[in-house]
Amino acid sequence: TSPPAPSAMPNLFLATRPWSFTAAAVPVACTSVLCSGTIFKESFARMLGMGVLMQAGANLINSYCDFRSGVDAGDQCADRAILDGQVSPKQAMIVGLLCLLGAGKLVSPFLSNPEFRQMFMAGSALAVAYSVPPVSLKYRAMGDLAILTTFGPLLMQATAVAMTGRSDPSVTLYSIPIGMLTEAILWANNARDIDNDKNAKIRTVCSMLGFTKSKDGYRALVYGAYAVCAALAAKERNPGLLLPLVTLPLAKKTLEAFQVGPESMREADSRTAQLHLPFGVLLILGVLLGQRLKA
């Protein structure tokens, strides 16, 4: 199969939803700082590249499956790359698979470690099973659990193994607030798509709850992430872990924009990603501050 034409590359890049890459970058960076006190290591660069490529590939494959199953249809659909003819379904699937292969190539030096190999295989399986039949976790109200697991403890523990040779139970605590805000990105997407998902006869947690209760769930995820940070600050005796609370005004603004209607919800997932990034950066700075105070 011939590669995509150069003119298609910008559209393909946008189809990977690069605004969402914070979901992969923040947990990898946080784990790198927790394990080594820095991000300036080759193992960090490899894990960051793996995470971003895996996410990009999963997003493209998801777009392909949503289009084929009729989920992405109508004016309310936000993922329009295939729908509007900017990217062909074949291109999305081929480039998605190439991204997954590239992710494996980047972390090949770590695959000799059995623990890392198991985690990488689990992550790869979830990336595919999230959308691809017959499993299609997303369509069976299990996509939220898959995202929480993949972008929380699984990715962070895999990064710990890549950097130190073994998993680190303490990392899991930090994966909770990060995973909650990452899940909030998906939750916002699913709340926006409730009508489309019902028309396509697929089930998400949001489509089963309805918009009002989904909004309550979104609020719990967002404010819950801040509550966990406060609890971590107390447990670790590190006031630096309160730094993410600086973004509470942005969180409030993001929540206020979470209103029923296609125009209000069109950018709900990207708005959540715009909260996820500064929250994550400040959490990482808080970890560094704690390490300096204890030094």
Side-chain angles (χ1 to χ4, degrees):
T1 303
S2 59
S7 59
M9 296 309 291
N11 288 335
L12 277 166
F13 174 70
L14 292 176
T16 65
R17 305 169 215 166
W19 52 265
S20 69
F21 290 164
T22 176
V26 166
V28 172
C30 186
T31 308
S32 180
V33 169
L34 284 166
C35 292
S36 64
T38 182
I39 59 171
F40 299 106
K41 298 188 74 169
E42 180 185 345
S43 52
F44 164 74
R46 287 184 177 276
M47 287 301 298
L48 177 63
M50 183 278 292
V52 169
L53 280 175
M54 188 76 76
Q55 186 181 354
N59 284 346
L60 287 169
I61 292 170
N62 174 242
S63 294
Y64 172 88
C65 292
D66 279 357
F67 178 78
R68 289 299 188 196
S69 63
V71 175
D72 283 349
D75 295 335
Q76 294 185 25
C77 174
D79 183 11
R80 306 195 61 86
I82 296 178
L83 200 61
D84 292 345
Q86 299 166 358
V87 173
S88 73
K90 185 177 181 181
Q91 286 174 334
M93 178 56 83
I94 290 172
V95 176
L97 292 173
L98 288 175
C99 285
L100 298 187
L101 290 172
K105 181 65 176 176
L106 270 178
V107 296
S108 56
F110 312 132
L111 291 173
S112 58
N113 183 308
E115 193 173 13
F116 182 89
R117 187 165 60 248
Q118 290 172 4
M119 292 179 181
F120 180 77
M121 290 174 64
S124 300
L126 284 170
V128 175
Y130 180 79
S131 306
V132 176
V135 182
S136 303
L137 295 171
K138 173 186 175 179
Y139 306 153
R140 301 174 190 274
M142 292 188 286
D144 301 274
L145 180 60
I147 293 301
L148 270 170
T149 302
T150 302
F151 290 99
L154 186 58
L155 180 55
M156 292 184 72
Q157 288 296 349
T159 303
V161 175
M163 303 200 77
T164 67
R166 62 182 184 276
S167 57
D168 183 349
S170 66
V171 166
T172 302
L173 291 175
Y174 291 84
S175 76
I176 297 172
I178 294 172
M180 289 177 77
L181 267 193
T182 303
E183 164 58 15
I185 298 174
L186 174 66
W187 194 276
N189 175 88
N190 289 348
R192 179 195 62 215
D193 292 345
I194 285 175
D195 290 338
N196 278 358
D197 290 344
K198 285 183 176 179
N199 291 337
K201 293 181 171 51
I202 70 167
R203 288 185 303 155
T204 66
V205 174
C206 286
S207 68
M208 292 189 294
L209 290 176
F211 187 85
T212 301
K213 290 183 179 178
S214 292
K215 184 175 180 178
D216 292 338
Y218 181 78
R219 183 183 293 109
L221 284 168
V222 172
Y223 284 142
Y226 290 95
V228 173
C229 280
L232 269 175
K235 179 183 181 300
E236 301 293 331
R237 297 181 179 179
N238 175 11
L241 296 179
L242 295 173
L243 280 175
L245 273 65
V246 172
T247 63
L248 271 170
L250 178 59
K252 183 175 182 290
K253 183 179 178 182
T254 303
L255 282 159
E256 287 172 348
F258 198 99
Q259 301 293 336
V260 67
E263 289 305 316
S264 300
M265 292 299 294
R266 190 177 299 278
E267 304 296 332
D269 48 359
S270 60
R271 283 196 301 266
T272 311
Q274 290 164 16
L275 172 64
H276 184 284
L277 181 58
F279 178 98
V281 169
L282 288 171
L283 179 61
I284 292 164
L285 290 175
V287 172
L288 285 169
L289 178 61
Q291 290 172 342
R292 298 299 181 268
L293 291 174
K294 291 178 181 179

